[in-house]
Amino acid sequence: MDLFEQNYQNQLSVQAPLAARMRPRTLDEFIGQEHIIAPGRLLRRAISADQLSSLIFFGPPGTGKTTLARIIANTTKANFIAINAVLAGVKDIRDAISTATDERKYYNRKTILFVDEVHRFNKSQQDALLPHVENGTVILIGATTENPYFEVNKALVSRSRIFQLKQLSEKHLEAIVFQALHDCDRGYGNLKVDINENALSHLVNVANGDARSLLNALELAVETTSKNKDKVIAIDLAVAEESIQQRAVLYDKEGDAHFDTISAYIKSIRGSDADAALYWLAKMIYAGENPRFIFRRLLIQASEDIGLADSQAIVIVNSCAQAFDRVGMPEGRYHLAQATLYLANAPKSNSVMGFFDALSFVEKEKEKEIPNHLKDANRDSKGFGHGAGYLYPHAYRDHWVEQQYLPQSLQGQVFYQPADVGEEALIKIQVERRREAQLAAMVEETVEVLSYGEKDKNVDNWLQRTLGEVGENLSLIRDKLFEIANPQRHHLILDLNARSGLLTWEAVRRVPEGGVYSWVRNEKDALALIEQSNLLPELTRPIVIHPSLSEIPVEVKFDRIIGRNALGKEVDKLNIILDLVKRLNQDGKIILGETIPRRSQRLYNLLDKTWLSQKLFQKIVAAESAIYSNPEDAMVNWDIEDLEKIFIEAGLQVEVNQQKNTTQLYITENLLNRWFTASDNKTRLSYVNHLEKELTKKEIETVKSLFYGKLRNRVVSWETAIALLYAS
């Protein structure tokens, strides 16, 4: 760099707009986007460890995409090259690749290529870049305001990790203003600037989540306002309104904002929210959306979401569309608003979706034979008997007769499910009655085809059956917990009592841009999890915590804490919950699935009461019931209400639902031995120890002989009760 170039760069840095001067240089200066760069998150760990793979930052303008790339440039040891897709061509890409090749060849140094507005690259430019990303010549960091899954080469997307940046909140924007006003080197820290609350609120509100827009407005306000007699630049509401006169509507007719806004509009109508529907309609019209496009969507929705619940809906919308074509804009906005309000307030039914169920059957099945009585009798009635047996509906009362119109194999299949609202509620009753009559007719006509097949000789052995059902139940519990948790891709999750990793591996799949911590109680489980995680890329592996939660840094806050049977064995459940609360984000949730021994299977229910006297049976019931009231046994002495009370005491709002599961259990001799062998552990007694408190030795021998004689090597149904707990 010569003296002229150096002087030019110095002038740029001093005279650059405030938004450019205030661009954060480190992660500590960066404000917002905590969901991807807070302590413990994947991206922050990758930047700190200088272990970046190819990335694409996707989000609205002014949210920090380019800034994050610059921070990476400041922290990485790799060579950093930045180009703008609007200005760059294939030659610029080749030059960057050539530089990267030389860096790797001569200095064994990686190169990070930052491409701003990467979606602006055409196909040939993206194709020119692809092989060098694939072979590792460059690590790509792309920034785009458009959805990369639609606008960026699929091959590039598949080789990159996507991070979505969100619009900055008002709290973040206020922090950015104060940062600029107090920074003496790059901001206005050397000036006395007084911005009143109303002015700040206006700037933040109109900036609409865009930090660049906010700083540009602040710069204009400060630079154009004279100092008062106290040498203070006072920015009031009037100055703020002049500095940022109108909220910019983010709306690109071919981009995400277009599709997202029409989606919000359609969903508002579907949800019968007329206010929201008018708001999104106004936003589209204000931004210049084609009204005919909106009418096309309304015509679709009149059938998709209203249908027969209001048969006039499509007539009204079509009439409004025709009126618009005659009147045009701006008066045509009345017709748009009328159609919108009619659909928003109309009763809703999506029963026409039954067509797509029928279409799915047609696509998957082999061709079905058309019932003979439905075939065309005009051509082949003499030779093949086509049409024979057809009942002419108009010859019957109400112009209807109960005959079958579906192929034989599909008789009884339901595609159309009428809604119980609007006009369709009347149709529903009629349809149900006719189906009942058709069903009766079908049974009478097809009774001769019913037969009994041979029993399946390939019966699974007990272990396969038991393990299969247990695995299925565990999968159901896992799916239920994650359904309740509803984690987002950027969330940080803590798995309590990880053990087998059932929840951990699902969490890793669900939060590719966040992170997973797994807490295990013993070293053996910890080593097993770590060994399994070695198959994953280093940055996506769960962080295994053993043996105490205190190993997790205090600054790491979780969005979701999930667990299966995490609290059942704990004596001091309240203190554990209080500790978990400290580790939650403000909007964090705790979701647990806890087996409730007190409501689960009782051994006495495996016995047939006719096998023993009523008195002895009652003594067994009393002995077994005492197990679950032992104040010293934290594993079994609690119920749903106890758990709920503890969470409320910890200051949480809690919902608890009970789920019953039944599996098939094979009673082995080894299992019986475990039940009927006395325990030396005073706090963990065996079944026979509890029987000894109520039964005589002779009675115990009777019970034991029944279990061994009647139940050994038998498969029984085993019930389990699970509390699904959701706390926030």
Side-chain angles (χ1 to χ4, degrees), residues 481-554:
L481 290 175
F482 276 94
E483 178 186 340
I484 297 170
N486 189 28
Q488 305 301 302
R489 293 172 60 87
H490 59 270
H491 275 173
L492 198 60
I493 293 180
L494 170 62
D495 178 9
L496 297 173
N497 193 26
R499 297 196 66 190
S500 66
L502 177 76
L503 303 182
T504 289
W505 307 126
E506 180 67 15
V508 168
R509 286 189 292 271
R510 298 283 190 114
V511 292
E513 287 130 36
V516 179
Y517 283 68
S518 299
W519 179 30
V520 292
R521 312 299 176 87
N522 61 66
E523 187 175 1
K524 180 181 177 182
D525 290 337
L527 292 174
L529 274 181
I530 292 171
E531 185 175 348
Q532 293 175 65
S533 70
N534 286 337
L535 300 173
L536 299 172
E538 184 175 350
L539 289 173
T540 63
R541 295 171 191 168
I543 298 172
V544 180
I545 303 300
H546 162 72
S548 170
L549 285 173
S550 61
E551 293 188 18
I552 302 175
V554 293

Side-chain angles (χ1 to χ4, degrees), residues 480-481 483-485 561 567 588-594 596 638-649 651-659 722-728:
K480 188 65 178 178
L481 290 175
E483 178 186 340
I484 297 170
I561 296 178
L567 297 177
K589 307 286 189 298
I590 299 176
I591 303 95
L592 303 178
E594 295 289 329
I596 318 164
W638 59 274
D639 207 335
I640 288 180
E641 293 78 10
D642 302 309
L643 200 58
E644 188 174 11
K645 183 179 178 182
I646 293 172
F647 273 88
I648 293 173
E649 191 175 343
L652 297 170
Q653 293 181 345
V654 61
E655 295 179 18
V656 184
N657 294 307
Q658 178 178 304
Q659 179 174 309
I722 298 172
L724 295 172
L725 184 143
Y726 171 85
S728 60

Side-chain angles (χ1 to χ4, degrees), residues 550-565:
S550 61
E551 293 188 18
I552 302 175
V554 293
E555 67 270 15
V556 174
K557 303 295 182 184
F558 296 99
D559 301 290
R560 298 290 185 270
I561 296 178
I562 60 175
R564 187 177 65 86
N565 292 340

